[in-house]
Amino acid sequence: MSETGTGKTEMTARVGVYLCECGPNIAGKIDLDKVMADILSESDRYRNVELVIRRYGFLCSGPGKQYLEDEIKENGLTHLVVAACSPRDHDSTFMGVCARTDLNPYLYRIVNIREQCSWVITDPEEATERAATYIRGSISRVLRQSSLFEKPLEINPDAVVIGGGAAGMEAALALSSDLRRVFLVEKSASLGGGCGITMPQEKAVIEDPNVDIYLETQMSSVIGFLGNFEIGLKSADGKDEEITAGAIILAIGSDYSDPQESGRISFSESDEVHILAEAERTLEAAGDLKLRDGTMPETIAVVHCVGREEQGYCSGVCCSSSLKLAAAIRRLSPETAVTSVYRDLCLPGADGENVLRMARESGVELIRTKGTSLSGMELDLEKMDGTSEKRSFDMIIPAAAIVPAADTVSLAEMLRIPLDEHGFFKEAHRMTDPAGTTTEGVFIAGTAHGPMSVMSSMRFARACAGQVLTRLVPGERIVPEVKVTEILEAYCTGCGNCLDVCVYGAIYADTDRGISVVNEAVCRGCGNCFASCPSGALRTRHFTNEQIFREVDEALR
Amino acid sequence: MTQAESILVIGAGIAGMKASLMLAGPARKVYLVERLPIIGGKTIKNEESFPNMECSTCMVAPIQQAVLQNPHIETLTYSAVESIEGSAGDFSVSVRIKARYVSLEACIGCGMCFEVCPVTLPNEWEESLIEKKAIYVPCSGSLPNVPVIDSERCLKLNGTEECNLCVESCAFEAINLEDEDRLLELKVGALILATGSETFDLSALPGLGYGALPGVYSPMEFERLFASNGPTMGEITLRGSGAVPDRVAIVHCAGREEQGYCSGICCMYSFKFVRFLKHKLPDVQVFNIHSDVCVPGKNYEDFFRSVNGGDTEMLFTSSIADVHVSGTDSGLRVAYPDGGGVTADLEVDMVILAAAIIPAPLTARLAELAGVELDDSGFIRTSLDGSGSMETSRAGIFTAGTVEGPKDIQSTVIQAESAAGQVAFLMSSMADLTERDPSGKSVKS
């Protein structure tokens, strides 16, 4: 460690600049003494600023952190610049050091003179000069930074689940306890959703003392953020109620596509064409599938992939459902010949293989085609060997695609969350946050997210529950982002550009005052609005124009 | 902190890391045990992930950093669980932390030590397509970026000679050749098993030529061949000749018949390989020899359509089991029965086999240690009650990710979040954990 002295003394700001040698990794290339001397030689450029510049072996080591802490305290530093490695490695380390002193961690800045200087610039002189430039820029910037303070918020651990199908019920059961109430809101008059079968969770949900069930009820309004939502409910008989909760789980399910959307499928009302979900329900309820005249069909064709082409995705569950239904018909009415017509069999996992075996063993005829058309009760099968065949059946069961539920659009608008290219709720990140949305505290479960099996729906529901259980812990508080955007009311013209670009729904219009207002608990500081503001009324804390421009000015000087 | 507030997560891939981050906090400590010297799992081997073709490192590195910097997660790399005793809320687990010989605190990852090491050995992490030293990090960008010494191959440690070059090269005094294994006894309330999976051993399919014909690649080999931090720095060149391939065949469903299930992700990674190939070699011709195309869910068909037609020719075969790859004077020949059952021939210079996802070799051993059931395919069994629960057959032990069966990253993360939620629920209701109902919840008294 060496020391090269301090600058002037009558100053108000005391900026500490600490250069980490990182062993030979920085000091082996960069002449740190020269960097320090160069910066000190120009210290009269900074008015009312005293510079303390020092170097140290390893600032990230235990003794290094203690050294830095002591330096901040002993020198009464008002600002801190650490010239070391990538912020990815040690930004949080040095913020932690600041937090142990009176120095606000947002009055500190790390400069990367290792990955961006010593490791990538071959010429030592150039690396030394570049390091000095970066540090000068950071001194300039840190002087314009402001203290920021975390404001922990009390939370409400309760959750609202919209939709009483398999996913909604599973989410409710996974969440409810004596520590947490669940409000289960279902649009129709009964639980169960679109599965077409009685779900085993129904009894448990009804008996659960911590689940409040609202039937024939819909969400009519929502405001708030993770931990604190106010939700308006409207029942079919017109009654309004307001509830509060910390999270909202969207489990509204899905619909089926209209088979005739496809140009290759046409039939009339009187034809014996019944979509798969209907046939499943009938078979479950009646134990067999009869024609409208009450007689048993001699031949049935199940047509896979109806709607796949038009929707632009494979629903992933229809092959399994189709083959299960085909096998069930064979089992219940062995005299009925059942044919499954498919292009690709999508049967992932051991369960899929079992379904295929079951269908084969029960005598279902499987026909692979390149394409299939339906006209009335006659199928035109385009076979893999290039031939084609026309065959008529007594009953045709198209496996229609899973499509977004009708309510998806209005709920998305109410919650200000985007839809994906197919019209389902869009997840926050397809892979790393698939159950979350851009609105923190709003989660997606089941086929409201996209086509999936009942098992996957329940897993999504449990993932939503997992987010709530780990983030909204009764008695704990949450800390919202502090580097958020603020609006300088005097400059705001209320044009509303910022409202349109805010993906988090954090900005609203105050029509009385003719300005936009940021809800700081919802804002994540992405800066979209900042770029869209024509009058310079927006400022993202810790990333202000002033801070960035002064840093760039210094770097380009 | 009592054991009821500590959790052990085994496996630091994306599932284990996500679950750890969700659970760790002032009230809960997480021990994250990883067999390898680095965390990140299989995802970081892929330069890009389907369907967004997002940079996997950019996606995973922030998660890795968050894990390593979280004060409530103790990450134990290069470690293995040796025993699991007890019951839900009160498990005793012993973990062996293998001697790394390099200090995680002192080392800064400058890499001087591997420059001087005289021993070279195959780098298995890079599918043995490149060599490493006896002191090594598996790949550039490893996290933690701290090497480890292969004690069986290090000249000093295996007693061959008094080599001390790495120790002398280290400016940080981070290398200690006297380092020893340590045993750690942990008290935890719950466990999450997230040790991932493997790809099918292609040498068991001699007809496809893997191992015998240098131009035939496994999917992981091809991932590394494309990776810019991989053995060829991302240049797609053929093993042996170093030539750039002109015609590539991707053969689907390798191992499906043998395993008895469709893995559900191989079609997608095969189509990703088409993108990889066309991205770096715009004139390459790519053929996909397939039977069923399995691209389930709202995200995948679009991706399939984007490669089908322009970038690859889809060649249907009526029997994947009858596909045969052989060597010719100029390259490789793929023979397959076409849609009419007639054998067709395809001349190519590279073949990539879309191998099935199978249980990792250590899964059975882990299941035995943990006392949990496996399913018929050898994956860890969950949801015994059909409820979507991530609990295994042993109360208090949960699982997530491909150790439970083949799946994509999205489903893996969903399972990790589910498991974390169930552990959190269990922890908060530990006091009245006397009876359990089939849904995996504790029964309230």
Side-chain angles (χ1 to χ4, degrees), chain A residues 25 58 88-89 92 170 173 308-309 314 344-345 349 353 368 420 429-430 432 449 458-459 462 467, chain B residues 18 51-52 54 69 108 172 260 262 292-293 297-298 301 305 383 387 390 410 417-418 422 441:
Chain A
N25 281 276
F58 293 101
R88 272 200 173 171
D89 280 0
S92 61
E170 191 65 24
L173 288 174
R308 172 175 174 182
E309 199 69 28
C314 155
D344 296 298
L345 282 180
E353 206 70 18
R368 186 196 293 271
D420 68 19
H429 188 281
R430 207 173 277 198
T432 58
H449 180 281
M458 294 193 294
R459 292 242 159 97
R462 284 177 175 271
Q467 293 272 5
Chain B
K18 277 297 262 188
N52 288 22
E54 195 167 338
Q69 291 175 358
I108 66 135
F172 307 95
C262 156
D292 292 298
V293 171
K298 69 175 181 177
E301 175 96 10
R305 289 187 189 179
S383 295
S387 75
M390 295 313 300
Q410 181 181 85
E417 294 181 341
S418 307
Q422 287 187 270
K441 284 174 35 172

Side-chain angles (χ1 to χ4, degrees), chain A residues 247-261:
Chain A
I248 299 169
I249 296 174
L250 299 172
I252 63 165
S254 53
D255 283 332
Y256 292 99
S257 66
D258 173 3
Q260 303 216 55
E261 251 177 41

Side-chain angles (χ1 to χ4, degrees), chain B residues 116-133:
Chain B
V116 299
C117 178
V119 181
T120 52
L121 49 149
N123 184 346
E124 291 98 351
W125 198 91
E126 293 287 12
E127 306 299 317
S128 300
L129 295 169
I130 195 174
E131 292 181 321
K132 65 182 178 188
K133 296 297 184 66

Side-chain angles (χ1 to χ4, degrees), chain A residues 277-515:
Chain A
E278 268 173 46
E280 279 174 338
R281 266 194 285 271
T282 310
L283 194 68
E284 153 115 350
D288 58 21
L289 283 180
K290 289 197 183 74
L291 298 172
R292 290 195 182 92
D293 63 8
T295 62
M296 293 296 290
E298 282 174 25
T299 57
I300 298 179
V302 184
V303 184
H304 296 222
C305 284
V306 173
R308 172 175 174 182
E309 199 69 28
E310 294 69 35
Q311 299 305 324
Y313 52 82
C314 155
S315 298
V317 296
C318 336
C319 281
S320 175
S321 309
S322 301
L323 293 179
K324 272 187 198 161
L325 180 81
I329 299 170
R330 289 285 305 154
R331 197 170 55 246
L332 296 165
S333 341
E335 66 288 352
T336 306
V338 186
T339 305
S340 247
V341 180
Y342 66 95
R343 189 180 88 186
D344 296 298
L345 282 180
C346 178
L347 295 164
D351 290 346
E353 206 70 18
N354 287 339
V355 169
L356 181 58
R357 196 181 49 245
M358 198 171 70
R360 284 198 173 120
E361 284 170 4
S362 64
V364 175
E365 180 192 22
L366 289 155
I367 300 180
R368 186 196 293 271
T369 70
K370 289 180 186 168
T372 303
S373 308
L374 171 69
S375 176
M377 298 303 293
E378 186 183 71
L379 286 176
D380 188 349
L381 309 170
E382 204 185 322
K383 301 245 181 108
M384 297 308 288
D385 59 7
T387 62
S388 70
E389 185 191 355
K390 286 188 165 52
R391 268 173 76 175
S392 291
F393 293 86
D394 295 344
M395 181 185 279
I396 306 271
I397 301 175
I402 292 175
V403 297
D407 290 347
T408 310
V409 174
S410 59
L411 278 171
E413 275 173 16
M414 195 187 298
L415 289 155
R416 302 185 68 176
I417 57 173
L419 299 179
D420 68 19
E421 62 273 34
H422 301 299
F424 294 99
F425 294 124
K426 189 181 170 85
E427 58 277 69
H429 188 281
R430 207 173 277 198
M431 285 183 270
T432 58
D433 192 5
T437 66
T438 49
T439 299
E440 279 212 273
V442 178
F443 304 96
I444 325 162
T447 55
H449 180 281
M452 63 178 76
S453 66
V454 175
M455 179 57 90
S456 294
S457 288
M458 294 193 294
R459 292 242 159 97
F460 258 82
R462 284 177 175 271
C464 295
Q467 293 272 5
V468 177
L469 287 160
T470 55
R471 292 172 73 178
L472 298 179
V473 181
E476 284 182 14
R477 296 193 292 175
I478 55 166
V479 183
E481 175 62 59
V482 294
K483 291 178 276 184
V484 296
T485 297
E486 57 191 345
I487 290 185
L488 308 174
E489 294 185 4
Y491 295 108
C492 178
T493 61
C495 72
N497 277 0
C498 52
L499 271 78
D500 296 336
V501 298
C502 179
V503 293
Y504 301 108
I507 306 181
Y508 58 93
D510 182 336
T511 44
D512 291 346
R513 291 193 289 163
I515 58 168

Side-chain angles (χ1 to χ4, degrees), chain B residues 262-283:
Chain B
C262 156
S263 300
I265 63 164
C266 327
C267 283
M268 280 302 290
Y269 77 63
S270 298
F271 300 142
K272 179 178 80 168
F273 290 170
V274 175
R275 286 273 193 95
F276 280 2
L277 284 158
K278 295 301 280 188
H279 172 64
K280 292 211 170 149
L281 309 170
D283 296 328

Side-chain angles (χ1 to χ4, degrees), chain B residues 327-397:
Chain B
T328 65
D329 293 343
S330 55
L332 300 165
R333 175 178 297 128
V334 187
Y336 64 96
D338 70 11
V342 180
T343 300
D345 275 343
L346 186 68
E347 304 285 333
V348 295
D349 37 31
M350 181 182 212
V351 169
I352 306 167
L353 303 175
I357 308 301
I358 63 165
L362 292 171
T363 302
R365 165 91 182 122
L366 176 66
E368 197 182 313
L369 278 181
V372 303
E373 282 177 27
L374 297 176
D375 67 19
D376 295 341
S377 308
F379 295 102
I380 290 177
R381 192 189 292 281
T382 55
S383 295
L384 279 72
D385 58 350
S387 75
S389 163
M390 295 313 300
E391 196 159 27
T392 64
S393 58
R394 186 168 174 190
I397 302 186

